Amino acid sequence: MQIQFPSHFLWGAALSSYQCEGDNSNSDWYFWEKEKGLTNSASACKHYHLFDQDFKLASSLNLNSLRISLEWARIQPDAATFSQEEIAHYKEVIDALIKYNLKPIVTLHHFTNPIWFAKQGGWAETKNIDYFLKFLQKTVEAFKERVDLWIIFNEPLVYIYNSFICGIWPPGVKSLPQANKVLNNILAAHITGYQEIKKIYRDSNIQPQVSMAKSLRVFSPSPGFNFALNSLSAGLRSYFFNFRILNYLTKKNALDFIGLNYYCREFSKFKGLVGEESDYRPKGQRQNYLGWNVYAQGFYKLLKKLKRYNLPIIITENGTAEDKDSSYEDFLISHLKGLALAMKEGVDIRGYLWWSLMDNFEWDKGFGPRFGLTEVNYYTFERKIKPFAYTYGKICKDKKIII
Ligand code: BGC
């Protein structure tokens, strides 16, 4: 059966400033790489300078939207200064998107913080929320004529898990009470930020749509003699990781749509109250380059579950890192089929963004995993469109898929 997508459906890709721009030497991550002896993000993809050519390439693939993020540390190099030069730079970036008919979707916080903010205690300090809100006001004010789709935070729980529970991302803390405090602060910043954005557009005829990019995963129990307890853990993990924040923010009327980031399924096993991830992988099912269990059916299932929130959904990230082109293609098509089926069954999905437009800096994993529609040569900074990206480009053009 053929599914035709509406003409206004957003077909795009996503990226983040720190992972692509390069030389974000005022961000906490830059110091962390040095301190921990990790791969240095260095010039990354040089996207800070090459953004025009990157957007041209996205448009040559028939994309009509692109999710970017603003690097807070560039715009606010210290607590008392907003850099007019960097604001002008991002205006140019957004104007380039518009020039290539790519609808801008702008994220304000994608894992990184200015070093001065981190040094003052970062997200663990409630008083610091105001710094972020000032940054939000300044940037939304500056770009309000150009942008109507805003994501305040990217994946707060992924950030908190890696930075405050596992301690593998800056600031390298391992403390549940701190993690909880950070979560409360980020949620408070989201809710106030949401209201601030609405205020900023009060006298405008543009209606901003504001959300969060929320990572969702399918949690399945690891098989074995502990199956019943593992099922309990999978259920709890699914509630805490997937739905608790969505329930809370929708009750507070602080989401205009759901931004969904989906990658894979996790197998859970019983351990303590909330269990943990197991390394079980089912035979015959594909693992990606990072060992993640590829599970397109789960994408469909989650989309169906999200219907209960009665909000439009934009897939703000979906993608994979592979070492074979056929695996990218298989991932793309199987997930798009799941999406199309969910739409046919009444789920209100407004857009799909592949992670990522280009191969880029994958945090603690360096440059090994390649998620891009385009391959980046990290020596010459040349871009090469991957074969599966042409398939994606054709779907973006035809706006239809056979399921
Ligand atoms: C993040 C990206 C990351 C991607 C692949 C998402 O969770 O938003 O920054 O590169 O996953 O791991």
Side-chain angles (χ1 to χ4, degrees):
M1 178 198 303
Q2 178 174 293
I3 305 280
Q4 186 74 44
F5 287 78
S7 57
H8 55 262
F9 192 84
L10 298 176
W11 290 104
L15 55 85
S16 90
S17 48
Y18 193 85
Q19 292 176 272
C20 299
E21 284 178 351
D23 305 309
N24 275 312
S25 53
N26 201 24
S27 298
D28 55 352
W29 251 94
Y30 205 83
F31 288 81
W32 179 255
E33 290 158 21
K34 291 234 158 75
E35 192 187 315
K36 297 290 161 190
L38 296 174
T39 305
N40 187 347
S41 56
S43 302
C45 314
K46 269 212 175 152
H47 173 71
Y48 186 82
H49 301 285
L50 301 178
F51 64 88
D52 194 280
Q53 98 173 39
D54 286 331
F55 298 162
K56 189 172 177 189
L57 194 147
S59 136
S60 78
L61 288 171
N62 310 306
L63 272 52
N64 65 11
S65 54
L66 206 88
R67 177 177 164 222
I68 61 164
S69 74
L70 307 174
E71 194 63 22
W72 180 9
R74 282 190 190 273
I75 293 182
Q76 200 174 359
D78 60 64
T81 314
F82 284 95
S83 160
Q84 290 314 317
E85 228 175 86
E86 294 294 354
I87 291 178
H89 168 80
Y90 284 112
K91 274 192 183 153
E92 254 184 69
V93 170
I94 296 172
D95 284 343
L97 287 174
I98 296 167
K99 175 177 82 180
Y100 290 114
N101 292 319
L102 297 162
K103 187 174 177 59
I105 303 170
V106 179
T107 306
L108 292 167
H109 187 275
H110 196 124
F111 298 155
T112 54
N113 302 294
I115 189 67
W116 59 263
F117 175 83
K119 282 188 177 153
Q120 293 185 46
W123 287 103
E125 293 295 333
T126 306
K127 65 173 177 18
N128 290 345
I129 296 175
D130 279 349
Y131 285 126
F132 178 74
L133 291 174
K134 290 224 171 67
F135 162 68
L136 173 145
Q137 281 158 352
K138 193 80 184 174
T139 48
V140 174
E141 239 347 304
F143 307 127
K144 69 175 185 213
E145 268 99 44
R146 295 164 167 86
V147 178
D148 62 9
L149 279 173
W150 292 97
I151 303 284
I152 304 180
F153 287 96
N154 181 66
E155 301 186 343
L157 287 185
V158 172
Y159 169 64
I160 292 169
Y161 184 71
N162 287 321
S163 297
F164 294 91
I165 296 179
C166 302
I168 57 165
W169 287 6
V173 173
K174 292 184 190 177
S175 151
L176 269 179
Q178 274 231 40
N180 205 31
K181 211 166 158 202
V182 171
L183 176 61
N184 290 335
N185 288 340
I186 287 185
L187 290 178
H190 172 93
I191 293 169
T192 317
Y194 174 93
Q195 292 156 353
E196 280 301 319
I197 297 179
K198 297 288 168 165
K199 262 193 232 154
I200 294 171
Y201 284 81
R202 206 173 23 205
D203 300 323
S204 137
N205 45 19
I206 300 172
Q207 298 268 339
Q209 299 297 300
V210 184
S211 189
M212 165 182 281
K214 176 77 188 75
S215 174
L216 263 71
R217 244 175 244 169
V218 170
F219 292 85
S220 296
S222 243
F225 77 102
N226 249 354
F227 188 72
L229 285 175
N230 292 349
S231 303
L232 182 70
S233 298
L236 284 171
R237 286 171 78 73
S238 173
Y239 170 70
F240 282 110
F241 187 80
N242 289 340
F243 301 113
R244 195 165 72 124
I245 290 188
L246 288 179
N247 293 348
Y248 177 73
L249 292 180
T250 46
K251 263 197 209 112
K252 296 273 177 197
N253 289 322
L255 294 177
D256 295 326
F257 63 94
I258 294 175
L260 164 61
N261 292 2
Y262 177 76
Y263 287 89
C264 60
R265 146 160 78 170
E266 176 196 297
F267 285 90
S268 316
K269 66 178 183 199
F270 181 74
K271 192 188 176 201
L273 191 61
V274 286
E276 66 178 11
E277 182 168 1
S278 91
D279 49 19
Y280 168 76
R281 293 290 179 271
K283 283 210 181 82
Q285 279 190 22
R286 224 169 51 71
Q287 282 22 279
N288 80 356
Y289 174 89
L290 288 158
W292 300 351
N293 179 228
V294 174
Y295 191 48
Q297 219 187 331
F299 186 40
Y300 162 77
K301 286 188 193 161
L302 282 173
L303 286 166
K304 293 285 294 222
K305 282 195 181 155
L306 292 180
K307 198 168 175 226
R308 66 168 181 252
Y309 292 104
N310 258 325
L311 285 172
I313 300 169
I314 296 179
I315 314 307
T316 36
E317 286 180 28
N318 177 233
T320 186
E322 304 286 353
D323 42 24
K324 272 208 324 253
D325 194 74
S326 57
S327 305
Y328 286 109
E329 176 126 0
D330 167 69
F331 185 100
L332 172 75
I333 300 297
S334 58
H335 284 74
L336 284 180
K337 284 185 176 179
L339 176 142
L341 184 60
M343 278 177 84
K344 183 178 163 285
E345 292 173 1
V347 186
D348 182 6
I349 306 168
R350 307 279 175 95
Y352 176 86
L353 312 178
W354 178 267
W355 179 270
S356 175
L357 178 61
M358 66 196 91
D359 292 341
N360 59 45
F361 178 71
E362 181 58 21
W363 308 112
D364 50 301
K365 308 205 173 51
F367 290 104
R370 290 178 173 267
F371 282 87
L373 291 170
T374 62
E375 186 183 315
V376 174
N377 178 323
Y378 294 113
Y379 299 101
T380 62
F381 301 102
E382 260 171 287
R383 276 66 164 148
K384 197 166 119 203
I385 298 178
K386 295 181 193 172
F388 87 98
Y390 289 108
T391 306
Y392 184 46
K394 179 151 174 28
I395 296 171
C396 297
K397 181 164 178 247
D398 298 344
K399 304 181 195 312
K400 58 185 181 211
I401 191 157
I402 312 267
I403 59 172

